[in-house]
Amino acid sequence: MGFFILAWFGYHAAVEFTAAGQKSLNKVMNQYRFRWMEQLVVRENRIVDTTIMASLMNGTAFFASTSLIAIGGVLALFRSTESVLPIFADLPFGAPPTRLALELKVIGLAVIFVYAFFKFAWSYRLFNYMAILVGAVPVLKESNREEAMIVARQAAAMNVVAGKHFNRGQRAFFFSLAYLGWFISAYLFIAATAGVLFVMWRRQFISDARDAALGVHHG
């Protein structure tokens, strides 16, 4: 569990607060959020922009709903501890868990999904705020250039914050997959945590998606 917590918070700090994190895929995409708003100010017809915003909100709402379903599943597992204990006792890895140990593990999993729900729900709300700010962005003219760019940057900044909380919610989902290893074995828990950490690091720093965002083309 110590390794799990260290991996989660270490990755969080590395991606969001370090100089190396500024080169991550998330940070690259944040630049495009600002470029999007810079393009928005010159468009009188903003159907494309509203479609993109609807897509962002729908995706966030989907993950928030999924978090609630996961919380319901965890609560059902908590109520069925007596039925589940014999299943884990028959597994070949690790010592058979006690009722208290299993319940603590289930509570930990519930905490992760509750955290994810709050992140996705807040992200959804922030995307709504961004939509309001976008609606307040005037069409760019010589007479209102400064005002238009200020409001556009405010909308972009709100977009960045919403995306940050969405990424944190997804991060919780990824680490919850590693957490499932603890129900079988502490060693599997550590290995799964290391595997998830590697996959997330690779996607942020050396993935094809990052290269595409940077304009790096592979033959």
Side-chain angles (χ1 to χ4, degrees):
M1 176 55 78
F3 177 73
F4 177 79
I5 295 174
L6 180 63
W8 189 332
F9 284 95
Y11 179 83
H12 169 83
V15 171
E16 297 195 12
F17 303 116
T18 66
Q22 298 302 315
K23 301 177 182 179
S24 67
L25 177 59
N26 289 345
K27 298 298 183 181
V28 173
M29 293 309 301
N30 285 345
Q31 299 173 15
Y32 282 96
R33 296 177 195 269
F34 279 93
R35 289 180 63 178
W36 171 22
M37 292 299 108
E38 290 171 359
Q39 293 298 315
L40 176 139
V41 297
V42 301
R43 286 195 287 262
E44 293 188 16
N45 188 336
R46 296 175 178 172
I47 295 178
V48 172
D49 306 296
T50 56
T51 302
I52 296 172
M53 287 186 292
S55 177
L56 292 173
M57 286 188 283
N58 289 339
T60 307
F62 168 79
F63 278 101
S65 300
T66 304
S67 301
L68 288 177
I69 295 172
I71 292 170
V74 171
L75 293 178
L77 179 62
F78 189 80
R79 293 182 58 187
S80 307
T81 305
E82 290 294 341
S83 303
V84 174
L85 270 174
I87 298 176
F88 287 106
D90 292 337
L91 293 175
F93 305 103
T98 63
R99 179 188 176 93
L100 176 61
L102 182 60
E103 288 179 346
L104 288 175
K105 292 175 183 179
V106 172
I107 291 173
L109 188 61
V111 169
I112 293 175
F113 285 129
V114 168
Y115 170 84
F117 169 74
F118 274 100
K119 286 299 176 183
F120 288 128
W122 182 233
S123 176
Y124 182 83
R125 187 61 175 165
L126 292 177
F127 278 126
N128 274 274
Y129 291 152
M130 185 202 75
I132 295 172
L133 288 173
V134 167
V137 177
V139 178
L140 184 64
K141 299 177 182 178
E142 286 298 327
S143 59
N144 67 355
R145 175 176 295 274
E146 183 177 356
E147 176 192 2
M149 296 309 299
I150 288 175
V151 181
R153 282 192 289 267
Q154 289 173 333
M158 186 67 74
N159 195 347
V160 168
V161 176
K164 178 177 67 176
H165 287 279
F166 180 85
N167 291 331
R168 290 176 179 177
Q170 274 202 328
R171 193 176 304 154
F173 265 32
F174 294 146
F175 275 110
S176 72
L177 298 177
Y179 187 92
L180 294 176
W182 198 20
F183 286 88
I184 300 176
S185 165
Y187 296 108
L188 182 59
F189 184 23
I190 293 173
T193 300
V196 167
L197 187 63
F198 172 76
V199 169
M200 291 195 302
W201 172 83
R202 185 181 182 280
R203 289 179 175 179
Q204 285 295 324
F205 294 101
I206 56 173
S207 65
D208 293 341
R210 180 178 178 275
D211 289 343
L214 289 171
V216 178
H217 304 287
H218 298 282

